[in-house]
Amino acid sequence: DVLIECLEGERPEVARSSLQQLAASGDDEALYALGDRLVAATDESERASIAEGLMLAWGNERLPSHVRATMVETLETAALFSTEAAARRSAVHCLGATLEPGRGDSLSRALTQDPDPRVRGAAADALGRLPDADRHVELLRYVVEADASGVVRRTAGNQLRRLGVEVPAEVPVPTVED
């Protein structure tokens, strides 16, 4: 109850910490309350934080269907439209972690349209991990050849290799220094 109350405070860092603690607790009753809060929330930033917390806490399979649908919709919105690159990258990561087929459209948009290479790299990584990743091979190939960022090109190449697709030799495997 105290952690849920902290979510209502004015300080985002306290709310985010509360979400992380709830996620780690695995307390189903608190997480159901958090799911209800997600469905009722109107502030996009709050919805994105709650959606990320739910994804960390329960994953995709254990969530009630109405909460899962709202979580995925919220993550898609945050991945594409948040004004903060870190929030977009986090949402892209969580969206990919849902492992739901059909999330590729939003991840593809983030990969091809986001101005931040860290977000595009997260999108390339997430696309390659989806159950229907083979549907996105051509886009990943295009990114390997055309993206302005070497890190994004290497991440896309790494996902292609993981999928068993041959990648041009000039696209090196990512290193620790990257």
Side-chain angles (χ1 to χ4, degrees):
D1 290 341
V2 172
L3 291 174
I4 296 285
E5 288 176 22
C6 287
L7 294 173
E8 297 172 357
E10 296 293 319
R11 296 177 42 207
E13 66 275 4
V14 172
R16 190 169 302 273
S17 174
S18 297
L19 280 169
Q20 290 170 348
Q21 289 178 41
L22 273 174
S25 78
D27 177 353
D28 282 355
E29 186 176 316
L31 293 170
Y32 273 103
L34 195 55
D36 291 341
R37 185 180 174 116
L38 170 66
V39 172
T42 57
D43 178 73
E44 285 302 318
S45 178
E46 178 186 18
R47 285 172 58 104
S49 292
I50 292 171
E52 290 172 22
L54 285 169
M55 188 61 215
L56 291 171
W58 273 347
N60 200 33
E61 298 81 29
R62 292 182 54 209
L63 290 172
S65 61
H66 74 287
V67 173
R68 184 175 53 246
T70 303
M71 178 193 70
V72 170
E73 175 188 312
T74 299
L75 289 171
E76 286 180 324
T77 300
L80 296 173
F81 303 113
S82 176
T83 57
E84 297 178 24
R88 292 192 310 274
R89 186 176 70 240
S90 181
V92 161
H93 173 75
C94 286
L95 191 58
T98 67
L99 297 179
E100 280 197 21
R103 299 303 107 203
D105 290 345
S106 297
L107 293 170
S108 295
R109 278 184 63 190
L111 177 57
T112 59
Q113 297 176 9
D114 198 286
D116 190 295
R118 295 169 299 171
V119 175
R120 294 194 312 274
D125 184 68
L127 270 174
R129 296 180 188 282
L130 291 177
D132 58 350
D134 56 319
R135 291 182 54 219
H136 308 288
V137 166
E138 290 308 313
L139 176 60
L140 290 170
R141 280 184 175 156
Y142 171 77
V143 169
V144 163
E145 295 177 14
D147 197 274
S149 167
V151 172
V152 176
R153 289 192 309 273
R154 284 188 295 271
T155 301
N158 195 43
Q159 287 306 321
L160 287 170
R161 286 183 191 95
R162 196 179 71 69
L163 294 168
V165 176
E166 193 167 323
V167 179
E170 61 270 11
V171 181
V173 175
T175 63
V176 175
E177 292 79 37
D178 292 332

